[in-house]
Amino acid sequence: MDGVELFLLGRTLMKIGEGAMPEPEGGMARYGGGVRSVLIVVSDLSAHPDSAVGEIAARTGLPQSQVSTAVARLKEAGAVVTENDPNDRRRLLVRQAPRPSDRMIQVRATTIDGALADALGDEDPVAMKEVTDALDTLARHLSPQAARRRKS
């Protein structure tokens, strides 16, 4: 596998992950932006709590408007809280909520089985097991949690 193939595989995996997300209450049309930007913002906030929208945008490469939309969605869902920066009252700082929101619990409880079966084009139990085992191995070595464990 070369870098291009790895990149394209990563995009495929992102699409499968997006397909596995349960639809929010009120439907997707109610919200601006996509699932991807929301997940990127959540991931960034887990590594960088108390960040301003501009800082998140700079780290993630997302446009500031997408970060603002994602933060608004996450705040409405109860997944993040904001407060004024004590050093600059014009800035809002964003951090993950102290407790998981109902939406976060719903998202974390959802399996990838349906989205993975769709991506494989069938529900072949052998292929599902092979791919699931491979994903478990990748997660054990390459997930953000694995990276944090290596740093500690």
Side-chain angles (χ1 to χ4, degrees), residues 11-142:
R11 285 189 45 87
T12 299
L13 293 174
M14 285 178 18
K15 289 178 183 179
I16 293 168
E18 289 171 3
M21 295 291 123
E23 191 163 304
E25 188 176 314
M28 291 301 288
R30 178 173 173 225
Y31 299 98
V35 171
R36 187 175 302 170
S37 59
V38 170
L39 293 174
I40 290 169
V41 168
V42 166
S43 175
D44 184 76
L45 282 172
S46 97
H48 306 281
D50 294 323
S51 292
V53 168
E55 295 166 339
I56 298 167
R59 282 191 300 266
T60 62
L62 293 172
Q64 191 160 335
S65 61
Q66 279 188 359
V67 174
S68 293
T69 299
V71 167
R73 284 180 63 181
L74 290 164
K75 188 173 179 182
E76 182 180 329
V80 300
V81 293
T82 60
E83 67 180 41
N84 286 334
D85 183 340
N87 299 321
D88 182 351
R89 305 298 283 167
R90 297 169 294 172
R91 287 176 15 131
L92 277 182
L93 300 178
V94 186
R95 78 169 62 94
Q96 290 182 338
R99 287 178 291 290
S101 67
D102 290 343
R103 173 72 177 153
M104 182 67 79
I105 291 167
Q106 176 193 24
V107 167
R108 291 285 185 180
T110 303
T111 68
I112 64 166
D113 296 346
L116 191 54
D118 289 346
L120 291 172
D122 58 30
E123 293 192 30
D124 175 10
V126 174
M128 287 285 288
K129 173 106 173 76
E130 286 177 348
V131 173
T132 301
D133 288 348
L135 291 172
D136 287 341
T137 300
L138 289 170
R140 193 170 51 253
H141 295 284
L142 299 176

Side-chain angles (χ1 to χ4, degrees), residues 1-10:
M1 174 177 287
D2 62 26
V4 172
E5 289 174 309
L6 180 60
F7 178 83
L8 295 174
L9 174 60

